[in-house]
Amino acid sequence: DDGTEDVLIELRGPSDMADAADLVITAPHGGDLKPDYIDDRATSGTYCPSGCKTAKDSYTKEVSELLQQKFITNYCKVPFLVINHLHRSKLDANREIDEAAQGNAVAEEAWEKFHTLIHFSQINLRDHFGTSTVTSSTGSSKTGVHALMFDMHGYAGTDWHEDGSPLIQWGYRISDNSLEHCPLDSRSAYSIGTLTHARWMDGHSYECLVRGPGSLASRVSDLLNESGGLTSNALCGHGTPSNEYPSPQTLANDPIYCEDMNDANPDECHYYSGGYDIKVHERMNWQDGDGDHFNAVQAELPRCIRFGESSVHESFADKLSVAVMSFLRDLYGAMP
């Protein structure tokens, strides 16, 4: 013990809300800390009836930090950033508390802190950027905050390819089966996914927001095409669902993209549609699952980005900042 204290959960953000971007970035799975005062999480047993994952999403913390910095550099605006510095073997901040902390009191406190700081960020963004109330096709009113939550993750994707799929998987809590509906808005007129407020704003729809030319995935892909790409793999950083690849399910059953479909017993590749963080924080009363809406997205970064050189991280974070800022401005208008 050198007398220092571990920072388990950290919030970085604007010192003055006048400098704030309308964005909160969350990094739940990129931490490195493995303190011996927190027991290792089990991968099976009482807390893991379907199994628990303990591998970190490598370099997602670093990319999240770069994304915040690129907003500052490019736009002189500061997003909120909530980081879990604990390794996933100690805490999984993207699960409900029992599976996340597995009964360890310190891990439970860290879990509470992580989600409380996300909520704190959302409150500050709501109070500064405001809300609007929209009316759905059923006549119900939905009030939402003029800001976005961006949950950063990474996936191995070795079922897709031995080196991992090159595509970002964008998640809105809409399953691959539901994404087969076209237009996507025909799936339901009620609250589905994590863009429930945005879909009813004037000039917007779920179909366009999730996989249209103006979707986050499509904006990133366009920027990559303009610049010549990130790596020698031309598809690295492109995404699904998008205007280019609208159906994750189609890709997951296509042996050209999913190597597991070439096996003697073909198996559909996995699509990550969005986890606990964006599910609960899509509502301002996150513990009760109600209150105003808060638009949210999950991005699963492929290995070609995460394990690329620092120049790849820099270039991707720069393009992502441009894509996210333009998405926000098209959605909410000019910064106040």
Side-chain angles (χ1 to χ4, degrees):
D1 185 356
D2 60 3
T4 61
E5 294 184 357
D6 293 329
V7 176
L8 307 185
I9 309 295
E10 183 181 9
L11 172 65
R12 302 177 190 173
S15 57
D16 186 334
M17 284 302 294
D19 299 323
D22 42 352
L23 176 68
V24 53
I25 306 161
T26 51
H29 285 164
D32 298 306
L33 292 179
K34 296 181 179 181
D36 56 13
Y37 51 79
I38 299 178
D39 295 333
D40 287 344
R41 297 173 62 246
T43 57
S44 62
T46 303
Y47 296 108
C48 307
S50 301
C52 290
K53 296 182 178 180
T54 59
K56 66 177 288 189
D57 291 353
S58 298
Y59 302 108
T60 53
K61 180 182 73 173
E62 291 80 1
V63 173
S64 298
E65 292 170 328
L66 280 171
L67 177 58
Q68 183 190 47
Q69 186 57 51
K70 291 298 181 181
F71 259 79
I72 297 169
T73 301
N74 292 339
Y75 304 107
C76 298
K77 293 295 180 181
V78 186
F80 285 93
L81 171 60
V82 184
I83 301 172
N84 170 28
H85 287 289
L86 284 168
H87 192 275
R88 199 174 180 184
S89 62
K90 300 296 182 177
L91 174 69
D92 188 336
N94 191 38
R95 298 291 189 274
E96 54 80 27
I97 193 168
D98 287 342
E99 181 180 341
Q102 299 193 357
N104 183 279
V106 177
E108 288 179 345
E109 183 178 353
W111 182 92
E112 291 279 0
K113 188 72 171 178
F114 181 80
H115 291 284
T116 297
L117 288 177
I118 294 173
H119 184 57
F120 171 83
S121 303
Q122 291 177 307
I123 289 173
N124 278 272
L125 292 173
R126 179 197 64 192
D127 292 349
H128 183 69
F129 292 103
T131 64
S132 62
T133 300
V134 296
T135 303
S136 74
S137 62
T138 64
S140 62
S141 297
K142 300 184 186 299
T143 301
V145 179
H146 285 191
L148 180 73
M149 173 180 171
F150 193 106
D151 200 34
M152 192 80 75
H153 291 265
Y155 74 113
T158 52
D159 51 340
W160 294 82
H161 188 275
E162 62 180 354
D163 295 326
S165 169
L167 300 179
I168 299 172
Q169 295 187 359
W170 295 87
Y172 303 91
R173 293 288 298 180
I174 301 175
S175 70
D176 55 353
N177 285 329
S178 292
L179 286 166
E180 291 303 292
H181 291 261
C182 187
L184 184 55
D185 300 80
S186 67
R187 171 66 179 82
S188 175
Y190 298 94
S191 296
I192 61 169
T194 55
L195 296 177
T196 290
H197 176 254
R199 71 177 291 200
W200 297 116
M201 295 179 70
D202 287 344
H204 297 284
S205 68
Y206 245 135
E207 181 67 26
C208 291
L209 290 166
V210 168
R211 58 187 174 198
S215 65
L216 283 165
S218 298
R219 290 171 193 262
V220 171
S221 294
D222 288 346
L223 290 166
L224 291 173
N225 288 335
E226 290 171 7
S227 66
L230 291 172
T231 70
S232 58
N233 187 334
L235 289 181
C236 182
H238 289 240
T240 188
S242 65
N243 198 47
E244 183 179 20
Y245 297 109
S247 171
Q249 190 172 85
T250 296
L251 296 180
N253 287 277
D254 186 339
I256 294 176
Y257 296 95
C258 174
E259 286 195 349
D260 275 9
M261 291 300 294
N262 291 305
D263 294 344
N265 297 305
D267 190 19
E268 178 180 329
C269 285
H270 187 74
Y271 164 65
Y272 293 91
S273 62
Y276 179 85
D277 290 349
I278 63 169
K279 174 186 176 182
V280 297
H281 290 289
E282 193 270 335
R283 304 301 293 268
M284 286 297 290
N285 295 337
W286 69 276
Q287 291 172 309
D288 299 322
D290 57 21
D292 291 350
H293 292 271
F294 198 103
N295 295 308
V297 59
Q298 174 179 297
E300 291 276 352
L301 304 187
R303 291 177 58 85
C304 63
I305 293 175
R306 295 185 295 118
F307 289 92
E309 297 178 355
S310 59
S311 59
V312 173
H313 291 177
E314 286 274 350
S315 179
F316 172 69
D318 184 65
K319 291 171 178 57
L320 184 59
S321 73
V322 174
V324 173
M325 181 59 100
S326 65
F327 180 84
L328 288 168
R329 300 289 60 81
D330 285 351
L331 193 58
Y332 301 124
M335 293 285 287

